Every structure is written in structure tokens, then in C-alpha cells.
Amino acid sequence: GAGVSQSPSNKVTEKGKDVELRCDPISGHTALYWYRQSLGQGLEFLIYFQGNSAPDKSGLPSDRFSAERTGGSVSTLTIQRTQQEDSAVYLCASSVVGGGGGQPQHFGDGTRLSIL
Amino acid sequence: KQEVTQIPAALSVPEGENLVLNCSFTDSAIYNLQWFRQDPGKGLTSLLLIQSSQREQTSGRLNASLDKSSGRSTLYIAASQPGDSATYLCAVRLWNTDKLIFGTGTRLQVFP
């Protein structure tokens, strides 16, 4: 398909385990974004990539969260030593250009993460 | 700090009604505003994007307006259908940033 692809769609893990969430953006989209959607908090920005660099990581809630992007394409969001409050839907989006270019962001279906 | 609020939080209407969803933001220095719909268990589908220099955008039965000075946007849905049932989210982008700041959402149900 031509849309943003995220995997896995659902992830259940035990507290304290590490998890990796993957995002495959739309081909040719240089900007990639991670957001988190949780009950009571709404949709919150986590990190933004332009190419392989992350000029804005201000939304990462703690140092247990990290993300990388390689080859200007696929991105991985890693959560170490998961806590129950990390349970949420993690959404990835991409757009043609970042840098305030004003292009619409296109979202994947998200990964629903549940921490037991 | 930019805050985005949507009213009402939930709305239930009979099929065929015209309806208005409201979005307000506290900082008028926005770059653009985007409306999305979200179906249960799904991601966000972009509906309309209004640049700060624009007053409105239209797509089919949807019309979104923007009044930056008053910090408001409205999404007008004409002749609503059961398939319009979803959560509608507005999001603003500020100048010199790339992240979106989302509103609290309006959960719409259109019944036959």
C-alpha cells in the first residue's frame, strides 16, 4: 500500500521489558513524526525527524524513550524498561517536507501498546 | 503554551442534519490548521488543511473555516450520513515548528 505502515499493530508486554515499534513512512516523505495517544492525555507529540536527524525530540517523556531513523526511511521507537503508564497507542506520521513547509501529515493506524 | 479545545466533546444527530464542529486555540500565531477524522482502532485521516493566510477550505460536503485573530476554526459537515460517525480532531502547527498540537476531539454519531 501507499500509506504509512506501522508494526506491530498490537503489542502486549510485561512491565520492565523493552519494546520496539516500527514505522515505514510514505515513499518520498522526508519528514517523520511520532505521537502518542492515551486516555486522559489526548494526542501528544513525541519526536520529529527530518531525514535521519531529529531536530525536535522535545516530546519524549523520559530517557527510557528513544527513536532512530535510518536511510531516511524506516523509523524505530524504542521504550526501555516499560511502565504501565506507557500503555497507549503510538502513531507515526509522515509528510513530504518538514521545516515548517506546511504540508499535511499522513498517519498510520498506530501500534496499541499494553503494559501488564 | 498553545492549548487547543474542541466543543462539543460529543454529538449525536439524525442523518441529514447539517452540523458544525468547533475548534479554538489560545495562540493565534499558527502556521496552519488541520482537521482529521479518526475511526475506532484506526489512525488519523486528514480531511482539510488551512494555511494561516487562508480563510476556508472545502472538500465535498466538508467546509473548514479559520479565523486566526479570534483563535477559532469550524468544520461544517453538510447533509450528515451514518458513515460520518467518527472522532474529529483539529490540530495546529505553530511557526518554526513541525509538530502538531491536537485538540481534545469531538466524537460524532450520526444515526439513520
Side-chain angles (χ1 to χ4, degrees):
Chain A
V4 177
S5 178
Q6 292 188 246
S7 61
S9 54
N10 286 282
K11 177 73 176 178
V12 181
T13 192
E14 294 179 346
K15 176 182 171 181
K17 300 285 189 184
D18 297 352
V19 295
E20 284 190 353
L21 312 179
R22 176 189 168 106
C23 173
D24 201 340
I26 294 172
S27 178
H29 281 196
T30 58
L32 185 147
Y33 313 81
W34 284 98
Y35 294 86
R36 178 170 72 173
Q37 187 173 32
S38 53
L39 287 175
Q41 295 296 323
L43 238 156
E44 303 171 297
F45 167 81
L46 297 177
I47 187 170
Y48 153 63
F49 285 93
Q50 177 61 267
N52 291 335
S53 62
D56 188 350
K57 52 179 79 171
S58 62
L60 295 178
S62 76
D63 58 8
R64 295 187 296 105
F65 287 72
S66 63
E68 65 175 14
R69 189 179 185 195
T70 56
S73 181
V74 172
S75 176
T76 302
L77 177 69
T78 301
I79 309 173
Q80 296 178 307
R81 305 181 302 282
T82 51
Q83 303 293 314
Q84 287 186 331
E85 61 263 28
D86 300 335
S87 296
V89 176
Y90 289 81
L91 291 163
C92 176
S94 69
S95 67
V96 175
V97 293
Q103 297 298 317
Q105 295 183 17
H106 301 272
F107 282 75
D109 283 346
T111 293
R112 184 174 299 276
L113 177 63
S114 299
I115 309 299
L116 303 178
Chain B
K1 178 187 172 188
Q2 177 73 271
E3 293 184 0
V4 184
T5 307
Q6 292 184 245
I7 294 173
L11 185 62
S12 183
V13 300
E15 181 177 10
E17 277 204 7
N18 301 324
L19 47 97
V20 174
L21 308 182
N22 296 291
C23 172
S24 61
F25 44 94
T26 55
D27 186 345
S28 62
I30 66 168
Y31 190 85
N32 61 37
L33 183 145
Q34 199 167 351
W35 281 94
F36 297 88
R37 70 173 277 167
Q38 185 175 30
D39 294 283
K42 296 291 186 181
L44 279 63
T45 300
S46 180
L47 298 173
L48 291 163
L49 181 144
I50 311 176
Q51 303 293 352
S52 62
S53 58
Q54 298 174 325
R55 298 285 301 205
E56 66 177 343
Q57 284 285 333
T58 298
S59 176
R61 294 181 295 108
L62 305 179
N63 175 277
S65 66
L66 175 64
D67 184 344
K68 253 193 350 175
S69 60
S70 66
R72 300 181 125 171
S73 176
T74 60
L75 180 66
Y76 176 82
I77 303 177
S80 58
Q81 302 171 357
D84 295 330
S85 299
T87 295
Y88 289 80
L89 293 154
C90 68
V92 300
R93 173 182 283 180
L94 302 178
W95 286 91
N96 297 321
T97 72
D98 289 89
K99 62 185 177 185
L100 294 178
I101 301 171
F102 282 85
T104 46
T106 293
R107 190 166 64 251
L108 172 66
Q109 182 181 16
V110 181
F111 53 91

